[in-house]
């Protein structure tokens, strides 16, 4: 028996080889075990989702929760409204309209940026 702790939905493997082995290596052991459809196996029979996270701002957590966890993830009160400008982590701008939001989506399509993910 073994206990695997972690989040199989985050940080997929980086595979730089081509061919059949690339497909085999593109899924982690953890992910394959969670997707195991045999009776008595897989996520439905042996997994527990830890629903409270303690690192992300509430805005980021809400996005991740919706995108990957069916809305089940929540930010702990200690970080749900964390201020990037508290404790001199970042200098607070005089003009608050120039302050950083907790999360910002940037569309890089068409900017000519190289993407080696298919390599």
């Amino acid at each position: 028996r073994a206990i695997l702790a972690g989040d199989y939905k985050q940080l997929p493997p980086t595979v730089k080889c081509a061919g059949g082995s690339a497909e085999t290596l593109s899924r982690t052991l953890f992910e394959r075990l969670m997707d195991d459809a045999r009776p008595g196996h897989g996520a439905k029979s042996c997994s527990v989702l830890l629903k409270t996270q303690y690192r992300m701002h509430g805005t980021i957590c809400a996005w991740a929760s919706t995108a990957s966890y069916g809305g089940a993830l929540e930010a702990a009160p200690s970080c749900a409204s964390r201020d990037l400008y508290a404790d001199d982590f970042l200098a607070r701008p005089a003009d608050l309209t120039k302050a950083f939001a907790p999360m910002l989506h940037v569309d890089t399509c068409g900017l000519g940026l190289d993407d080696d993910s298919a390599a």
Side-chain angles (χ1 to χ4, degrees), residues 94-112:
D95 180 356
L96 291 181
T97 62
K98 296 183 179 181
F100 288 107
M103 184 173 79
L104 176 67
H105 289 271
V106 177
D107 184 0
T108 60
C109 185
L111 294 179

Side-chain angles (χ1 to χ4, degrees), residues 13-69:
T14 300
V15 180
K16 295 290 187 177
C17 64
S21 23
E23 186 175 328
T24 302
L25 296 172
S26 67
R27 296 181 71 223
T28 64
L29 172 63
F30 199 166
E31 185 177 6
R32 284 185 247 160
L33 289 170
M34 295 301 289
D35 291 342
D36 190 340
R38 294 177 297 161
H41 296 81
K44 291 183 179 164
S45 65
C46 64
S47 71
V48 175
L49 174 65
L50 302 178
K51 296 179 181 180
T52 305
Q53 66 76 36
Y54 296 87
R55 297 177 294 162
M56 291 183 270
H57 186 280
T59 303
I60 301 168
C61 180
W63 175 80
S65 180
T66 301
S68 299
Y69 303 95

